[in-house]
């Protein structure tokens, strides 16, 4: 199966559990299991090529210019991890099906789980490190959802937040490291980077890159000093803990260290940082684990400890160390997942995970006892179980590792770590399962059904099989090791054996096991000593750090970002002018290429009107109605200016838009106060005037200079003029540009317009659905209402005008291609005709006669325009290619048929729909507040008042 | 002529900026409308000023006003109507919901309410 499918399956499959939720729990779990199984089988189909030593690749260029490609690669290392992720994933899904209670939303759980699974598989199969980073962040996000799955538990939420913060910060550091690495190697493809060991290690940026990448790995894999998030993540449901903390999430950091091993390892820096961190983590985790009473906390710290062990092995930088690390990853995944699931079973059956409340469970839960005891003994390093083998290899490697020039340091610490490790394993068995049966369990424990114990049992079978017959695992582990090592070293010859003879590792092992037993026998006094020792608590420190960072951010941001819009606007204006001034003063200004055109008296009169109206508006803006009239004058003058400067289409558009804008603002002013009170101080007004004058002078200067000079580049307008008739079949170049040359632009614009109208509609709905509605109903108008709201004269007049205006609109639309006009202008004209009916005859009367809802009109417009564009596909042309022809139907003159006209029809409909939907929404608010809106068009209607006619009408109604 | 148009753009911009800096929603909306005029006219003038030569092709005529800025400004005018309507709606909704049409959060007030809210939850 293609690698794309293996990665994509969990992501697409994540849609299914949510859909299946209503079909029942078994179906939901079943579909999740099937999806994972499909990916698992797909992975296995690639096994022959991997065994043959090939690297399976799959590649799609995504953003090649950025070096970001969707490149996947499957070698033995990736195969190994993907096998763990999907294989253990299958067991976890089966287990979770029985673990989750009926109150839990199973669809949600499995959706998160599959998302996480997909992200993990993505990490281990990525060939491109940028792609890897994306999947890396996805695991942080999806694990956040999984850890916080029990949203009602504060520990769950806090744990999830902490995990996200720590791993997210690490991810951020890693992005930096990976970018540096990619810059050094000249490629973001792993297959290239892994070939460039010498180049990368010789680069001065090697150490920063190494530290940043290791920060990412250490946070993810919970290495000291970032280990503290992992135990808090235990608030998650146990299947999540078992999955995340045995085989997947925390192994991602380890995976990356192994993946980067050929290029990053082998230097003193790598050795010092990685080995030290691993060693400290291993010992610290093991010691803390021993004294934890919560079963899952114990396992969490033991996970931390074992991750430290693997990290230390990778840190040594030797081939043998890498092999031991790979072997231990396999072994740890098997026994730790089994242990977590056993802990879940105990929690599920006994309703507690507190070791102090447990004991004697071996007689009550024999099956669970066998499973858990075998897994724990393996973790303790008892022979004939797989944990023993890799632990021996670890001790062997530790024996040869010299840190800080002290030969005894690593072996002694490794032995101490193993000693505590053995001690907590013995405590787990002794204090939970052995001892007398108690009668005070929170619930009566008994063995669960097979659905819960079978998944861990399968893993324990593996634990035993590998432990007894290590040669079965040997070829596989060596194959994986070979792919870790790459070309840097050859796979060690050493065989996996239970008995190596009387080597130092054996004595260290014996010391650890015996010491562990002794430790358990003095557990009570040791615990008292432990409790008496002061220790830093990670959670308060973490929270204090977060709080300090937040208050620092507040201290910086609040003074700058205080919520005062006018302050931002002022700062923005000044900044823009300053930037412009900088360009002006440093750039070169060419000589004018145009002569100034003479201006007659009429342009000057227009200018005077515009300036006077603007000044009037500024001076008298407190009177809002007056300022509306003044802005109308400004708009009209601008339209006239467009006519004067040869832009008839613009003039018509500006003119009609002006009308609907004024209506819109009037509708709004119906509710807003009519006066703006004087609030700002004189100083402030002076400041604002200053800012305004500076901005005005700057734009004046810019446009004046601009108008008298040629453009820097060659304008493309000539093309449009030359091809308008030949190519577009229209003589109105502006319209041809709109519907043809730049049709795609226009298409986007009508969509934006439609969205804006829908937004207004949605806002109105929200307002009218909320508390505002009651406020509107009880609102007292601040001014007297007109006595005759729908005057007869106006009703009669607008009705007579309606067909005329519609005809004008139709005419303007049709002639648009060749004369000033077109869909935009026609749409606005028709809107005005309809608005007039609303204004004259009232909302109730007009909307009762509305046949199509305006949403539909917008949709129809966008659809018609879009389908017209798609139509050109059928003749093998790109989207929105237009065509036209001339036809003659006697007795008419020859006329033109163009597909562009159809597109323009879409524009027309979208504009009508959008304008009307906006205005209608405002009117609906007004209708809530106003007096009962009659369905009669006229307040005084002679035909209603005439008794004879009224009788006639009622007789008709009776029939 | 160019001087007249350029100074008109300047005056519109100055008026627009001044009104945008006011404290209530309505003048701010009017100010933004003035700025819209200024920007549209400015874009239009990038085709330079041409009198009496609309871009309607005719036989025997060679000089036309630049059609491209006109087409761009035409859609800009329509879109700006949509945007004005949205902003007016937002302003109206805010006023109806809170009986307050200030555009500024008074400095300090916001953070205080936040703090008291977080105190009460914790």
């Amino acid at each position: 199966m293609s690698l794309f499918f293996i990665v994509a399956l969990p992501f697409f499959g994540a849609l299914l559990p949510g859909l299946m939720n209503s079909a029942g729990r078994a179906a939901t779990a079943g579909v999740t299991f099937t999806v994972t199984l499909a990916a698992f089988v797909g992975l296995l189909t690639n096994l022959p090529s991997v065994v043959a030593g090939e690297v399976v690749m799959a590649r799609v260029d995504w953003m090649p210019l950025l070096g970001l490609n969707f490149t996947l690669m499957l070698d033995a290392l990736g195969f190994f991890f993907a096998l763990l992720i999907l294989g253990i994933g299958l067991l976890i899904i089966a287990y979770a099906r029985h673990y989750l209670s009926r109150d839990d939303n199973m669809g949600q759980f499995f959706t998160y789980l599959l998302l996480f699974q997909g992200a993990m598989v993505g990490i281990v199969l990525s060939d491109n490190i940028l792609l890897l980073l994306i999947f890396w962040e996805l695991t942080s996000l999806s694990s956040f959802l999984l850890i916080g799955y029990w949203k009602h538990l504060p520990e769950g939420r806090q744990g999830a937040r902490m995990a996200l913060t720590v791993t997210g910060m690490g991810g951020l550091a890693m992005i930096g490291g990976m970018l540096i690495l990619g810059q050094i190697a000249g490629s973001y493809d792993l297959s290239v980077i892994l070939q460039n060991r010498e180049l990368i290690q010789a680069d001065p940026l090697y150490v920063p890159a190494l530290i940043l990448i290791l920060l990412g790995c250490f946070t993810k894999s919970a290495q000291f000093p970032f280990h503290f998030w992992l135990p808090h993540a235990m608030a998650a449901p146990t299947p999540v803990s078992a999955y995340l903390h045995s085989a997947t999430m925390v192994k991602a950091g380890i995976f990356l260290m192994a993946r980067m091993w050929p290029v990053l390892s082998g230097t003193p820096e790598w050795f010092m940082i990685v080995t030290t961190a691993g060693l400290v983590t291993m010992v610290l985790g093991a010691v803390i684990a021993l004294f934890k009473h919560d079963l899952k906390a114990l396992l969490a710290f033991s996970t931390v400890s074992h991750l430290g062990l693997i990290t230390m092995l990778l840190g040594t930088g030797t081939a043998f160390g890498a092999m031991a690390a790979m072997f231990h990853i396999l072994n740890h995944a098997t026994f730790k997942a089994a242990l977590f699931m056993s802990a879940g079973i105990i929690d599920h059956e006994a309703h507690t995970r507190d070791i102090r409340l447990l004991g004697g469970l071996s007689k009550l839960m024999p099956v669970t006892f066998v499973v858990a005891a075998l897994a724990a003994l393996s973790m303790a390093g008892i022979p004939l179980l797989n944990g023993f083998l890799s632990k021996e290899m670890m001790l062997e490697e530790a024996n040869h590792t010299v840190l800080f020039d002290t030969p005894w340091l690593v072996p002694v610490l490794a032995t101490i770590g193993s000693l505590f490790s053995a001690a907590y394993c013995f405590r787990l068995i002794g204090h939970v399962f052995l001892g007398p049966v108690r009668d005070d369990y929170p619930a009566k424990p008994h063995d669960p059904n097979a659905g819960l114990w079978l998944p861990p049992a399968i893993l324990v079978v593996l634990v035993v099989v590998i432990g007894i017959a290590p040669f079965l695992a040997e070829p596989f582990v060596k194959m994986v090791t070979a792919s870790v090592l790459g070309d840097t070293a050859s796979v060690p010859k050493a065989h996996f054996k239970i008995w190596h003879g009387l080597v130092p590792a054996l004595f260290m092992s014996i010391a650890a096991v015996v010491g562990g037993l002794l430790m358990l026998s003095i557990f009570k006094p040791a615990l008292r000593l432990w409790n008496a020792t002061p220790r830093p608590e990670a959670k308060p420190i973490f929270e204090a750090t977060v709080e300090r960072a937040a208050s620092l951010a507040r201290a910086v941001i609040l003074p700058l970002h205080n919520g005062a819009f006018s302050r931002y606007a002022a700062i923005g204006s000044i900044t823009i002018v300053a930037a412009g001034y900088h360009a002006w003063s440093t750039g070169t200004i060419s000589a004018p290429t145009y002569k100034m055109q003479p201006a007659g008296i009429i342009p000057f009169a227009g200018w005077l009107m515009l300036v006077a109206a603007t000044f009037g508006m500024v001076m008298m803006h407190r009177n809002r109605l007056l300022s509306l009239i003044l802005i109308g004058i400004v708009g009209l003058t601008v339209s006239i200016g467009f006519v004067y400067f040869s832009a008839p289409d613009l003039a018509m558009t500006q003119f009609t838009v002006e009308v609907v804008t004024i209506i819109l603002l009037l509708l709004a002013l119906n509710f807003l106060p009519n006066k703006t009170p004087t609030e700002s101080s004189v100083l402030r007004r002076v400041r604002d005037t200053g800012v305004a004058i500076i901005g005005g002078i700057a734009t004046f200067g810019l446009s004046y200079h601009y108008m008298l000079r040629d453009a820097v580049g060659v304008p493309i307008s000539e093309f449009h003029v030359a091809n308008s008739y030949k190519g577009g079949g229209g003589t109105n170049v502006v319209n041809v540009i709109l519907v043809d040359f730049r049709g795609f632009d226009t298409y986007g614009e009508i969509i934006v317009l439609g969205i804006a109208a829908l937004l207004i509609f949605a806002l109105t709905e929200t307002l009218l659905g909320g508390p505002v509605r009651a406020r509107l109903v009880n609102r007292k108008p601040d001014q007297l209402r007109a006595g005759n709201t729908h005057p007869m004269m106006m009703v009669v007049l607008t009705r007579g005008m309606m067909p005329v205006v519609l005809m004008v609109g139709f005419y303007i639309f049709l002639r648009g291609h060749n004369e000033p006009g077109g869909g935009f202008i026609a749409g606005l004209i028709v809107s005005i005709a309809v608005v007039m009916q609303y204004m004259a005859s009232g909302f109730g009367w007009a909307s009762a006669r509305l046949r199509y809802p305006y949403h539909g009109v917008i949709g129809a417009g966008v659809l018609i325009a879009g389908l017209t564009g798609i139509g050109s596909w059928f003749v093998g042309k790109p989207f929105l290619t237009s065509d036209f022809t001339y036809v003659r139907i006697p007795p008419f003159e020859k006329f033109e048929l163009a597909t562009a006209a159809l597109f323009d029809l879409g524009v027309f409909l979208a504009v009508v729909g959008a304008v009307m939907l906006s205005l209608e929404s405002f009117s609906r608010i007004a209708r809530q507040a106003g007096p009962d809106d009659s369905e009669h068009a006229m307040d005084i209607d002679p035909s209603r008042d005439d008794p004879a006619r009224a009788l006639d009408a009622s007789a008709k109604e009776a029939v | 002529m160019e001087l007249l148009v350029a100074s008109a753009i300047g005056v519109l911009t100055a008026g627009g900026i001044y009104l945008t800096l006011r404290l209530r929603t309505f003048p701010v909306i009017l100010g933004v409308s003035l700025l819209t005029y200024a920007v549209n006219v400015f874009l239009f003038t990038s085709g330079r000023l041409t009198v009496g030569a609309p871009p309607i092709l005719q036989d025997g005529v060679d000089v036309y006003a630049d059609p491209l800025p006109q087409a761009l400004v035409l859609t800009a005018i329509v879109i700006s109507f949509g945007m004005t309507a949205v902003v007016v709606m937002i302003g109206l909704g805010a006023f109806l919901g809170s009986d307050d049409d200030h555009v500024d959060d008074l400095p300090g007030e916001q953070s205080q309410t936040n703090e008291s809210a977080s105190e009460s939850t914790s």
Side-chain angles (χ1 to χ4, degrees):
Chain A
M1 192 191 281
S2 162
L3 300 183
F4 288 126
F5 283 114
I6 300 175
V7 175
L9 259 172
F11 282 112
F12 286 115
L15 297 170
L16 294 175
L19 293 176
M20 298 298 287
N21 217 3
S22 51
R25 295 150 55 81
T28 313
V31 74
T32 315
F33 192 85
T34 314
V35 167
T36 311
L37 189 66
F40 186 72
V41 172
L43 182 74
L44 289 184
T45 57
N46 286 303
L47 182 61
S49 341
V50 173
V51 170
E54 291 170 27
V55 177
V56 186
M57 300 282 286
R59 179 187 181 95
V60 168
D61 281 352
W62 185 4
M63 289 184 241
L65 285 179
L66 287 179
L68 173 55
N69 295 313
F70 208 100
T71 325
L72 299 177
M73 159 180 97
L74 182 73
D75 60 355
L77 178 64
F79 183 85
F80 172 46
F81 272 87
L83 195 72
L84 284 181
I85 294 160
L86 293 170
I88 296 194
L90 283 172
L91 299 177
I92 295 289
I93 292 163
Y95 177 82
R97 151 79 183 88
H98 298 277
Y99 183 86
L100 291 179
S101 77
R102 293 196 177 275
D103 301 332
D104 296 321
N105 184 342
M106 199 177 248
Q108 205 176 39
F109 179 84
F110 280 128
T111 299
Y112 295 164
L113 194 79
L114 281 177
L115 282 178
F116 175 78
Q117 194 180 62
M120 277 307 301
V121 175
I123 289 185
V124 299
L125 294 191
S126 294
D127 180 38
N128 188 290
I129 52 176
L130 299 179
L131 186 68
L132 188 146
L133 283 171
I134 293 172
F135 285 120
W136 186 274
E137 297 297 332
L138 277 179
T139 59
S140 291
L141 292 176
S142 49
S143 68
F144 171 78
L145 294 172
L146 279 172
I147 295 170
Y149 172 71
W150 278 331
K151 296 188 262 298
H152 53 279
L153 297 180
E155 297 84 24
R157 299 196 299 268
Q158 288 157 4
R161 219 157 44 218
M162 190 190 276
L164 182 67
T165 313
V166 175
T167 56
M169 299 277 266
L172 205 60
M174 207 172 79
I175 291 175
M178 288 295 197
L179 290 179
I180 297 178
L181 199 63
Q183 288 296 321
I184 300 174
S187 165
Y188 291 107
D189 284 344
L190 264 176
S191 31
V192 178
I193 292 173
L194 293 185
Q195 304 299 321
N196 283 309
R197 177 189 171 98
E198 286 78 21
L199 179 72
I200 289 166
Q201 296 197 348
D203 198 278
L205 285 176
Y206 163 74
V207 175
L210 175 73
I211 290 174
L212 288 172
I213 292 175
L214 285 180
L215 271 176
C217 296
F218 285 1
T219 48
K220 201 78 156 184
S221 286
Q223 294 301 296
F224 179 82
F226 308 108
H227 60 286
F228 56 88
W229 69 264
L230 199 149
H232 288 285
M234 288 298 138
T238 302
V240 173
S241 313
Y243 196 36
L244 263 58
H245 304 136
S246 65
T248 53
M249 167 100 157
V250 293
K251 295 276 170 71
I254 304 276
F255 166 79
L256 200 70
M257 282 191 262
R259 179 100 281 174
M260 293 291 175
W261 200 86
V263 281
L264 294 183
S265 76
T267 59
E269 294 89 355
W270 166 277
F271 175 65
M272 290 294 289
I273 300 173
V274 180
T275 311
T276 313
L279 205 58
V280 172
T281 313
M282 176 171 119
V283 177
L284 198 69
V287 174
I288 300 176
L290 178 61
F291 298 107
K292 285 289 166 187
H293 301 305
D294 179 0
L295 211 47
K296 273 176 82 176
L298 186 152
L299 291 176
F301 277 104
S302 97
T303 301
V304 169
S305 166
H306 279 267
L307 291 169
L309 188 160
I310 299 169
T311 306
M312 184 202 77
L313 284 173
L314 287 170
T316 59
T318 64
F320 187 79
M323 184 163 79
M326 289 306 116
F327 194 29
H328 197 67
I329 289 170
L330 174 66
N331 297 338
H332 178 249
T334 51
F335 64 67
K336 190 49 69 65
L339 276 172
F340 267 118
M341 289 195 249
S342 308
I345 292 173
I346 294 166
D347 192 16
H348 203 256
E349 303 302 333
H351 291 196
T352 182
R353 300 193 309 245
D354 194 325
I355 298 176
R356 289 167 299 186
L357 301 179
L358 296 166
L361 291 186
S362 62
K363 298 182 186 66
L364 298 169
M365 311 171 77
V367 178
T368 316
F369 168 61
V370 172
V371 169
L374 282 174
L377 288 175
S378 171
M379 181 154 80
I382 301 299
L384 298 182
L385 296 168
N386 63 0
F388 169 74
L389 299 164
S390 43
K391 189 161 271 189
E392 285 274 293
M393 287 165 80
M394 182 274 287
L395 292 171
E396 173 71 25
E397 177 67 19
N399 233 357
H400 302 296
T401 308
V402 181
L403 192 65
F404 301 121
D405 295 326
T406 324
W408 54 266
L409 186 66
V410 179
V412 166
L413 284 178
T415 313
I416 293 177
S418 306
L419 187 152
F420 275 92
S421 180
Y424 65 67
C425 294
F426 295 144
R427 178 171 180 229
L428 198 157
I429 299 170
H431 289 190
V432 174
F433 289 102
L434 302 181
V437 176
R438 299 164 63 146
D439 48 13
D440 59 347
Y441 303 116
K444 187 75 183 152
H446 55 83
D447 265 326
N449 61 18
L452 280 179
W453 65 255
L454 203 56
I458 292 173
L459 289 171
V460 166
V461 169
L462 274 177
V463 167
V464 176
V465 168
I466 298 176
I468 293 174
F471 54 87
L472 290 178
E474 189 180 321
F476 184 70
V477 173
K478 286 197 167 166
M479 182 174 86
V480 174
T481 312
S483 98
V484 171
L485 299 177
D487 308 330
T488 50
S490 53
V491 181
K493 291 280 180 288
H495 289 290
F496 294 7
K497 283 188 297 198
I498 303 171
W499 180 253
H500 287 275
L502 295 171
V503 289
L506 184 68
F507 296 114
M508 289 157 80
S509 210
I510 293 170
V513 172
V514 174
L517 281 172
L518 283 175
M519 194 64 167
L520 193 65
S521 65
I522 57 159
F523 179 71
K524 281 198 174 139
L527 181 65
R528 270 197 297 278
L529 182 70
W530 173 258
N531 284 338
T533 330
R535 302 179 297 279
E537 274 296 326
K539 198 172 166 186
I541 297 175
F542 172 78
E543 277 167 4
T545 314
V546 170
E547 186 46 47
R548 222 171 301 136
S551 56
L552 183 72
R554 269 197 294 273
V556 174
I557 288 168
L558 278 184
L560 292 174
H561 194 99
N562 63 350
F565 167 76
S566 45
R567 179 191 283 210
Y568 309 156
I571 295 175
S573 310
I574 295 293
T575 312
I576 292 169
V577 172
Y581 181 77
H582 175 74
W584 175 283
S585 54
T586 54
T588 51
I589 298 157
S590 60
T593 48
Y594 290 88
K595 276 213 184 74
M596 217 194 330
Q597 301 174 39
I601 183 77
I602 293 174
F604 185 72
W607 179 85
L608 209 59
M609 201 149 83
L610 186 107
V611 172
T614 313
F615 266 112
M617 234 178 106
V618 170
M619 303 311 290
M620 290 178 269
H621 75 269
R622 298 189 189 290
N623 184 340
R624 294 181 171 183
L625 268 177
L626 189 62
S627 53
L628 261 192
I629 295 173
L630 288 170
I631 201 169
I633 294 177
V634 174
L636 285 185
T637 321
V638 171
S639 324
I640 294 169
F642 284 143
V643 177
Y644 187 78
F645 293 115
S646 319
D649 287 277
L650 280 193
M652 290 163 90
T653 316
Q654 182 74 64
F655 189 82
T656 40
V657 163
E658 210 49 51
V659 175
V660 288
T661 309
I662 297 287
I663 293 174
L664 179 98
L665 288 171
L666 275 173
L667 282 168
L669 209 51
N670 189 15
F671 294 100
L672 294 170
N674 282 328
K675 299 256 186 270
T676 307
T678 315
E679 281 176 323
S680 39
S681 61
V682 178
L683 192 70
R684 190 190 164 111
R685 271 177 276 165
V686 169
R687 182 200 81 179
D688 292 349
T689 313
V691 174
I693 288 176
I694 292 172
I697 290 176
T699 37
F700 161 72
L702 176 67
S703 33
Y704 182 64
H705 271 77
Y706 187 49
M707 270 185 267
L708 290 181
R709 283 161 181 81
D710 269 325
V712 178
V714 181
I716 55 170
S717 309
E718 284 304 312
F719 168 84
H720 295 103
V721 175
N723 288 289
S724 173
Y725 189 72
K726 271 190 293 180
T731 53
N732 180 2
V733 189
V734 174
N735 183 268
V736 175
I737 292 175
L738 282 177
V739 298
D740 195 335
F741 294 130
R742 300 191 64 83
F744 207 7
D745 243 18
T746 311
Y747 185 53
E749 265 147 357
I750 60 173
I751 292 174
V752 171
L753 197 64
I755 291 173
L758 290 177
L759 177 62
I760 292 169
F761 176 75
L763 283 171
T764 314
E765 286 289 296
T766 320
L767 276 183
L768 292 182
V772 171
R773 184 197 181 93
R775 208 186 267 244
L776 279 174
V777 172
N778 297 320
R779 182 173 179 272
K780 295 260 183 310
D782 52 353
Q783 280 170 354
L784 278 179
R785 304 276 104 172
N788 185 1
T789 42
H790 305 302
M792 194 203 313
M793 275 301 284
M794 196 167 156
V795 176
V796 173
L797 202 65
T798 50
R799 263 191 237 171
M801 275 169 70
M802 179 84 172
V804 181
V805 180
L806 286 183
M807 198 180 68
V808 171
F810 188 58
Y811 170 65
I812 293 279
F813 173 77
L814 281 185
R815 72 174 205 165
H817 217 42
N818 295 311
E819 298 284 328
F824 276 110
I825 302 166
L828 288 161
I829 290 176
V830 170
S831 306
I832 294 172
V834 182
V835 168
M836 281 198 308
Q837 303 306 314
Y838 275 93
M839 290 201 303
S841 305
F843 189 90
W845 183 87
S847 50
R849 278 150 188 80
L850 180 70
R851 199 168 298 169
Y852 306 105
Y854 295 121
H855 318 71
V857 178
I858 299 176
V862 173
L863 264 184
I864 289 177
L867 289 177
T868 309
I870 288 175
S872 48
W873 287 346
F874 291 105
V875 290
K877 296 275 175 57
F879 187 63
L880 274 174
T881 311
S882 76
D883 197 15
F884 60 94
T885 181
Y886 295 92
V887 289
R888 186 190 184 106
I889 306 172
F892 300 109
E893 280 202 34
K894 190 176 81 162
F895 62 92
E896 183 193 358
L897 279 181
T899 59
L902 210 55
F903 180 79
D904 219 10
L905 177 68
V907 173
F908 166 80
L909 288 175
V911 170
V912 172
V915 171
M916 288 315 300
L917 188 62
S918 320
L919 293 178
E920 193 211 22
S921 301
F922 278 90
S923 322
R924 288 205 3 241
I925 296 182
R927 205 182 176 207
Q928 283 295 334
D932 288 336
D933 193 13
S934 92
E935 70 233 53
H936 297 298
M938 289 176 247
D939 295 341
I940 303 161
D941 187 346
S943 67
R944 276 209 308 272
D945 296 343
D946 184 352
R949 283 190 182 210
L951 207 67
D952 193 33
S954 61
K956 267 184 197 161
E957 270 169 29
V959 172
Chain B
M1 190 89 84
E2 277 80 1
L3 197 62
L4 285 185
V5 176
S7 57
I9 295 173
V11 168
L12 285 174
T13 312
I17 292 179
Y18 182 80
L19 288 181
T20 310
L21 296 180
R22 297 304 89 209
L23 297 175
R24 303 290 184 128
T25 48
F26 199 76
V28 171
I29 291 167
L30 291 185
V32 173
S33 298
L34 280 186
L35 284 176
T36 310
Y37 291 131
V39 170
N40 284 345
V41 174
F42 174 74
L43 288 181
F44 170 70
T45 57
S46 67
R48 305 303 178 284
L49 299 178
T50 321
V51 179
I56 312 291
L57 300 180
Q58 282 170 316
D59 290 334
V61 180
D62 282 340
V63 179
Y64 297 106
D66 193 341
L68 198 58
Q70 294 194 15
L72 299 183
V73 170
L74 196 151
T75 50
I77 293 172
V78 181
I79 292 277
S80 67
F81 163 75
M83 292 304 123
T84 309
V86 171
V87 173
V88 171
M89 188 71 224
I90 292 171
L92 184 62
F95 178 71
L96 289 177
S98 65
D99 251 341
D100 181 16
D101 63 344
H102 280 96
V103 290
D104 290 357
D105 278 342
L106 290 183
E109 193 185 348
Q110 183 69 43
S111 57
Q112 271 170 15
T113 48
N114 272 355
E115 274 162 24
S116 60
S118 61
E119 270 165 27
S120 62
T121 49
S122 64

